[in-house]
Amino acid sequence: MQLPAVPGALALALLAFPVAFGMNGVATLADSPGALVLTVTLVLVGLFCIVYFMSGGSHFQDPLFCVFVVFAFTSAVDLVISLEEDGYVSGFVELYVWEGEPYLRTAHGIMICYWDGVVHHGLYLAMIAAMSRRKSYRNLGLFWLGSLMMSIVVFLLGNLIGKYSSDVGPALLLQAPYVLLPVWAGERLLRQPRALPSLAADAVAEEQRKGLHRRPQDLALVLFLILAAAFTFFRGLVVLDCPAESCFEYSYQHEPYLRDPVAYPKVQMLVYLFYALPFLCLCVYGLLQPGCAWMLDGSLVFAGAVAQMRPWAGGTAALLVLAGVLSSAALPGAGGRKKVVHVLEGDSGAVVVQTAPGKVVTHRGGTIILPCRYHYDVAAHDPDEIRLKWTKVTEPMAFEDVFVALGAARRAFGSYRGRTALQEDGFGDASLVIRNVTLQDYGRYECEVTDELEDDTGMVKLDLEGVIFPYHPRLGRYTLNFREAQQACREQDGILASHDQLHQAWLEGLDWCNAGWLQDGSVQYPISRPREQCGRKDTPVGVRNYGYRHKDSEHYDAFCFTSNLNGKVYFLKTFRKLSYAEAVQACKDNGAAVAKVGQLYAAWKIQLLDRCEAGWVEDGSIRYPIVNPRARCGGREPGVRNLGFPDKKYKLFGVYCFKKAGEAAPARAPSPGHPNRV
């Protein structure tokens, strides 16, 4: 009886489903791993015998036919394993995975099963089809050889040295055929005749005599191979825990899984470093000195190995993306044995100031703890496997890196360096401590906890105590686009306010008739007393919203926000009134600087500065702060009075100065006059 080629192989591969389902239902195998391994071995041997006897005496004279048919069956089993681990099927291989090879439940294990069940299975069928038509399958076989050897070497070494080394059992012996048979198959493949080139020998010789500069394709390939070799060397240093800053930056920003304690990616990179890197150098030599016949076969084997390594070759590789998608959708296994990683917002235990879950409040210069706690199966997972990452949400889909913890490594980024650390108050505490809080720290922060295939996030909002102040420059009202409004607020010791901050200011009585930019790119203004010139008298009170405007072409004022001062604003007593230039020099002589608008507002709101004397401030405007309103000081409402932007040469006003904390106290002018009483 002759077994049809491809249909027969497919039929035998489909037996993987009923065989796996039947073995999974035998409860006695769960109590004896040895019996489980023996049963699997007998199934494979029986399958091999069936294939051998059914194909014996037929036109299938190649002994590799039986090997490929049996391997097609095992690749189908691997596909079932990966599908069950991702929750698409159930009840087929749960017993074998849990009791035989638990390391198959890792990200690498699942992807190896997908690779074997899809790519290798397709290669087996293609080579079987070539055998049936008596065609050469040498090139396909060499590609398969490289892919399978790379897969099994990394898989075996990763199991022996990684975190699952203690779970290695008799089932690992089932990998022996994947080590021995490819060696034998490779020897037979290399002895098969190589396909001859279609070019004449003279044409080939003439092409080989050309210099590299006359072979642009080879020149481009040489440059690419040199870059690939350098990149391979660098990634090898990364997995060897290179102490350089660039190594940590790369492992965090692009390939954090290289530090995974399961050790598969580390082994992958070391194999790549010690075996693939020399081959890349040999390929450069072969292109510089044409005629190296070994490059043809070596390149096919290397191509298969590199194709299998693509999940670890870059953060955006297609297979890695597939792993993330499938793993994120993984369903819990029976018995609830899948781990759970979850962030609990607001459960901090030691929050400095917390007004509501997920929200903490401090002031500029203070210290704050952003709460983030998580829980997981302590018995099944080492805390060092957890990857913690804090980011700041700068726009709806944009993030700024703040802090990351990979195992024992800790790293802060940008302006957060030297100011941030993890609280680490017991297991499951990922709370972030921020010292010397700045205005730019205001906003929403995301705490991300990742453990192998699973991750979860929580959001915490950092709020600041401070004051809103409307602002327009000397050029007049409605002259700022969004970027200019941001810059104007920064120059006056502030940042663009958020909608929440503006709404809170409105609740506290802020009433302003001019629309201004906010942090999110919207344009709004608060109205507490409706009037005709501010949207009609019969309209309701509230924060009126123009919506999101064009950030470059449209112009409005700005609503700025500032917080606590690390210093003091004071009115400098002088013998006479000053021009702007004289005011700047007077503050400088006093060991200070002319106060900015935001500093004057912060002094009025937080330090309760009350002064009924107009003075220069940094932007060239004339202002003065009133805490206790009185008739001769500009009205019945508290606030910072603004007299506009006079000519800077006028000597009609005093000056408000700002001195940082810790500096000498203000000195008296040489000839003090008699200041006006307040």
Side-chain angles (χ1 to χ4, degrees):
M1 178 179 178
Q2 180 175 315
L3 182 70
V6 176
L10 279 174
L12 288 174
L14 290 176
L15 288 176
F17 287 87
V19 170
F21 186 80
M23 291 182 58
N24 193 69
V26 180
T28 56
L29 297 179
D31 301 325
S32 176
L36 177 63
V37 173
L38 180 61
T39 302
V40 174
T41 303
L42 292 176
V43 169
L44 294 178
V45 172
L47 180 64
F48 184 87
C49 293
I50 292 174
V51 175
Y52 178 79
F53 287 114
M54 293 185 67
S55 62
S58 69
H59 59 272
F60 297 114
Q61 299 301 319
D62 194 332
L64 287 178
F65 170 75
C66 295
V67 173
F68 291 153
V69 171
V70 175
F71 276 15
F73 172 85
T74 59
S75 67
V77 174
D78 283 341
L79 182 61
V80 174
I81 291 174
S82 57
L83 291 175
E84 180 156 316
E85 284 303 305
D86 278 335
Y88 295 107
V89 298
S90 62
F92 287 90
V93 289
E94 181 182 11
L95 173 64
Y96 176 76
V97 171
W98 279 110
E99 303 300 334
E101 299 187 86
Y103 34 79
L104 290 176
R105 298 176 64 93
T106 63
H108 186 85
I110 293 175
M111 285 310 304
I112 287 298
C113 289
Y114 271 120
W115 184 265
D116 192 45
V118 177
V119 178
H120 287 171
H121 190 80
L123 289 173
Y124 296 139
L125 295 182
M127 290 186 287
I128 291 171
M131 289 179 184
S132 67
R133 296 195 296 269
R134 302 188 182 279
K135 301 290 185 181
S136 174
Y137 60 92
R138 188 175 188 276
N139 291 344
L140 285 176
L142 292 176
F143 183 89
W144 162 79
L145 178 66
S147 177
L148 184 63
M149 291 300 295
M150 178 62 71
S151 173
I152 197 65
V153 167
V154 173
F155 188 63
L156 289 178
L157 291 178
N159 293 336
L160 294 175
I161 70 173
K163 73 170 189 175
Y164 285 98
S165 58
S166 60
D167 296 327
V168 172
L172 192 65
L173 297 175
L174 295 174
Q175 306 299 326
Y178 287 95
V179 177
L180 301 176
L181 289 178
V183 175
W184 172 66
E187 186 269 336
R188 293 189 60 87
L189 288 168
L190 291 173
R191 284 196 287 109
Q192 291 183 6
R194 181 184 297 157
L196 297 176
S198 57
L199 296 176
D202 293 341
V204 173
E206 176 64 25
E207 185 69 20
Q208 291 179 350
R209 281 194 293 269
K210 293 181 180 179
L212 185 62
H213 65 282
R214 298 175 58 193
R215 293 178 280 130
Q217 292 180 338
D218 290 352
L219 177 60
L221 185 56
V222 166
L223 295 176
F224 172 78
L225 290 175
I226 292 175
L227 292 175
F231 185 50
T232 300
F233 180 74
F234 173 73
R235 294 168 79 216
L237 295 180
V238 170
V239 300
L240 291 174
D241 294 328
C242 163
E245 179 82 11
S246 57
C247 293
F248 184 90
E249 292 284 346
Y250 179 80
S251 65
Y252 162 65
Q253 294 282 4
H254 304 288
E255 297 187 272
Y257 44 80
L258 292 180
R259 294 176 176 264
D260 196 309
V262 296
Y264 297 124
K266 177 176 288 189
V267 173
Q268 187 88 78
M269 291 302 101
L270 292 177
V271 172
Y272 207 11
L273 175 65
F274 293 111
Y275 293 95
L277 178 58
F279 182 78
L280 291 173
C281 297
L282 288 174
C283 286
V284 173
Y285 169 79
L287 291 171
L288 294 175
Q289 301 292 330
C292 299
W294 52 264
M295 280 189 64
L296 298 175
D297 294 339
S299 297
L300 287 170
V301 176
F302 181 72
V306 172
Q308 188 275 323
M309 285 193 292
R310 286 309 297 170
W312 306 111
T316 58
L319 290 178
L320 182 62
V321 174
L322 178 62
V325 172
L326 295 177
S327 301
S328 64
L331 299 179
R337 298 171 71 176
K338 267 193 177 293
K339 60 187 173 296
V340 177
V341 179
H342 185 66
V343 175
L344 305 178
E345 296 183 20
D347 183 15
S348 67
V351 173
V352 176
V353 180
Q354 182 175 353
T355 59
K359 179 179 179 181
V360 291
V361 182
T362 185
H363 54 77
R364 177 165 54 179
T367 297
I368 194 68
I369 298 176
L370 303 185
C372 176
R373 299 192 68 88
Y374 61 93
H375 63 83
Y376 58 95
D377 187 351
V378 180
H381 303 283
D382 190 335
D384 290 338
E385 301 170 12
I386 304 295
R387 175 174 177 260
L388 308 175
K389 179 182 178 182
W390 279 93
T391 54
K392 183 182 179 185
V393 184
T394 55
E395 292 183 12
M397 295 301 292
F399 300 86
E400 175 187 358
D401 293 332
V402 175
F403 191 91
V404 67
L406 295 172
R410 303 286 188 272
R411 190 62 53 90
F413 298 89
S415 63
Y416 295 94
R417 289 182 177 176
R419 301 192 297 118
T420 52
L422 290 181
Q423 180 177 240
E424 297 185 288
D425 183 16
F427 291 115
D429 184 18
S431 301
L432 184 69
V433 180
I434 304 180
R435 297 181 295 274
N436 192 21
V437 173
T438 68
L439 292 175
Q440 287 70 30
D441 294 341
Y442 170 84
R444 293 185 300 131
Y445 290 79
E446 185 177 272
C447 174
E448 180 182 5
V449 182
T450 304
D451 184 3
E452 290 186 2
L453 296 181
E454 300 182 14
D455 63 83
D456 202 355
T457 60
M459 198 71 67
V460 181
K461 182 180 178 183
L462 172 58
D463 205 352
L464 296 177
E465 297 172 344
V467 58
I468 291 279
F469 62 95
Y471 185 78
H472 69 83
R474 176 181 290 273
L475 296 176
R477 298 189 183 278
Y478 292 174
T479 59
L480 302 172
N481 63 24
F482 180 75
R483 311 298 176 191
E484 293 167 343
Q486 286 181 314
Q487 181 63 26
C489 288
R490 283 194 295 267
E491 291 175 351
Q492 298 309 314
D493 192 46
I495 58 173
L496 276 180
S498 68
H499 169 75
D500 291 343
Q501 290 170 334
L502 184 63
H503 185 265
Q504 181 61 37
W506 169 74
L507 292 176
E508 295 173 0
L510 180 62
D511 183 277
W512 198 255
C513 198
N514 293 86
W517 291 103
L518 294 182
Q519 192 178 74
D520 60 358
S522 65
V523 175
Q524 306 180 34
Y525 65 99
I527 292 296
S528 299
R529 299 184 302 277
R531 45 204 183 274
E532 290 299 329
Q533 61 270 34
C534 294
R536 299 199 312 272
K537 191 174 182 179
D538 57 351
T539 54
V541 299
V543 179
R544 296 175 181 173
N545 194 342
Y546 285 6
Y548 297 98
R549 315 305 297 180
H550 195 284
K551 292 183 177 180
D552 295 323
S553 62
E554 298 194 46
H555 297 79
Y556 299 92
D557 290 350
F559 284 104
C560 305
F561 173 83
T562 191
S563 185
N564 185 53
L565 294 171
N566 184 28
K568 182 178 181 180
V569 173
Y570 60 94
F571 185 79
L572 182 62
K573 300 176 181 179
T574 59
F575 176 72
R576 57 183 176 80
K577 303 301 183 182
L578 307 172
S579 66
Y580 181 79
E582 292 171 339
V584 172
Q585 187 60 44
C587 288
K588 184 177 180 181
D589 293 342
N590 203 241
V594 178
K596 300 183 178 186
V597 176
Q599 292 169 340
L600 185 62
Y601 269 90
W604 162 73
K605 182 72 172 182
I606 300 171
Q607 298 178 354
L608 302 180
L609 179 62
D610 186 296
R611 193 79 185 185
C612 194
E613 290 187 82
W616 295 101
V617 290
E618 194 271 343
D619 68 338
S621 62
I622 302 298
R623 304 173 190 257
Y624 60 98
I626 295 298
V627 175
N628 301 307
R630 49 266 198 204
R632 61 189 183 88
C633 291
R636 295 177 294 179
E637 298 292 335
V640 175
R641 312 284 190 247
N642 184 359
L643 302 184
F645 295 84
D647 194 315
K648 291 184 176 181
K649 66 183 179 181
Y650 290 162
K651 300 182 180 183
L652 300 176
F653 311 101
V655 61
Y656 286 92
C657 300
F658 172 73
K659 185 184 293 291
K660 291 184 179 180
E663 297 182 357
R668 291 180 176 273
S671 301
H674 299 282
N676 296 331
R677 294 185 179 275
V678 178

